[in-house]
Amino acid sequence: MSNIGYYTAASGVISYQYAMDVTANNLANVNTFGFKASRPSFADLIYTERNNNNTETQFGHGVRVQKTDMMFEQSQLRETGRVLDFAALDEGFFAILTPENMVTYTKDGSFIITKESEDEDAPWLLCNSWGGWVLDYEGNRIEVPFKENAPTEIDDSELAQLVGVYKFENPYGLDMIGDNYYTETASSGPAVADEGAGKKQRWLEASGTNVANEMTKVIEYQRAYQLNVNMVKTHDELENIINNLRN
């Protein structure tokens, strides 16, 4: 007896388990600012032909997850009223110089300020919660400006002008590396500073996870997973019956 059905169903089990992993990650980040959800794309496998009573019959050999696509649509903006919060609109990104001296990009604009050193005269710099330095349009670290008549208050309008926004020719080609960071690739093209790109101060971009859509996918993938598991069991039972008849 051919094992095509067994391995076809097994490929479905593996693929839908992977799809559930992608969906679980989307749901886990439902409250992660600037997070962009991923979507698994499926593709069928090879086909073979078998001569059955002088008729050529095609048999498929299963499914696989071909790739995952990032969904870069503009997410909902949430007003925070905090002067250090920024939202990069549409396909804009903030540039971050990590402690490992690597330039990365993020949609999470929840920033803080810190001193470069413990020296009393050291300037206050804009950074993120991971200790990375926020960069301006020229790729330099941002020294936080304070008001002349109120040296302890941040000059919010000047700060907004300093925070750089970058764009890519193909943002879907970016590489996700965790901690809300993306890195450029040959597919995405280099980052380009865009002073005309939209950004909003005192706002943050919410997670791109749509809970209703993701829960629908959970049900769909779960049912498909269960059906493929049942197909594996059924095919295995048929194989045992045939082997017993032969004996």
Side-chain angles (χ1 to χ4, degrees):
M1 182 179 177
S2 170
N3 288 321
I4 291 178
Y6 179 89
Y7 291 111
T8 297
S11 72
V13 172
I14 296 171
S15 297
Y16 284 110
Q17 182 175 358
Y18 181 85
M20 285 288 288
D21 292 340
V22 174
T23 304
N25 184 62
N26 291 340
L27 288 171
N29 286 280
V30 68
N31 287 313
T32 301
F33 287 117
F35 175 78
K36 295 302 177 183
S38 299
R39 178 187 65 190
S41 294
F42 297 90
D44 51 353
L45 299 179
I46 62 173
Y47 289 83
T48 57
E49 292 185 352
R50 179 164 39 176
N51 192 309
N52 184 19
N53 296 328
N54 297 322
T55 301
E56 294 293 338
T57 305
Q58 281 191 316
F59 288 89
H61 291 264
V63 65
R64 66 186 176 95
V65 175
Q66 185 180 30
K67 59 188 176 73
T68 54
D69 301 312
M70 285 184 289
M71 314 302 289
F72 273 114
E73 288 77 7
Q74 176 72 62
S75 303
Q76 181 183 4
L77 298 181
R78 296 182 180 176
E79 186 174 9
T80 65
R82 183 170 175 268
V83 69
L84 298 177
D85 287 343
F86 289 87
L89 305 182
D90 300 322
E91 294 180 351
F93 293 83
F94 301 113
I96 305 293
L97 179 64
T98 68
E100 294 77 26
N101 205 33
M102 179 175 66
V103 177
T104 61
Y105 302 90
T106 184
K107 296 287 288 182
D108 183 4
S110 178
F111 301 138
I112 58 175
I113 61 174
T114 186
K115 283 194 172 184
E116 183 179 14
S117 66
E118 296 182 358
D119 187 350
E120 184 177 349
D121 296 327
W124 289 93
L125 301 176
L126 191 66
C127 67
N128 67 0
S129 57
W130 300 104
W133 308 108
V134 183
L135 304 181
D136 61 16
Y137 289 103
E138 297 180 355
N140 301 316
R141 296 183 300 176
I142 297 174
E143 184 175 341
V144 178
F146 292 91
K147 296 179 180 179
E148 293 184 3
N149 57 347
T152 60
E153 294 183 15
I154 297 174
D155 189 332
D156 52 349
S157 60
E158 185 177 350
L159 178 63
Q161 295 176 3
L162 292 174
V163 176
V165 178
Y166 291 75
K167 286 192 172 183
F168 297 87
E169 182 178 357
N170 175 29
Y172 297 93
L174 290 170
D175 188 22
M176 297 179 288
I177 61 173
D179 294 336
N180 258 0
Y181 287 150
Y182 300 88
T183 56
E184 63 181 43
T185 65
S187 177
S188 70
V192 178
D194 187 352
E195 295 191 25
K199 61 183 173 183
K200 295 189 70 172
Q201 191 175 22
R202 294 186 170 87
W203 293 75
L204 287 174
E205 184 176 4
S207 170
T209 298
N210 185 311
V211 176
N213 289 345
E214 296 301 326
M215 290 305 299
T216 300
K217 291 179 183 178
V218 168
I219 297 172
E220 179 184 342
Y221 296 155
Q222 184 181 30
R223 292 294 179 265
Y225 181 89
Q226 291 174 340
L227 289 172
N228 279 278
V229 168
N230 290 337
M231 285 296 295
V232 170
K233 293 179 179 178
T234 300
H235 205 279
D236 186 55
E237 291 171 358
L238 291 174
E239 186 77 21
N240 289 333
I241 292 173
I242 292 174
N243 289 334
N244 291 333
L245 291 175
R246 289 173 178 172
N247 294 330

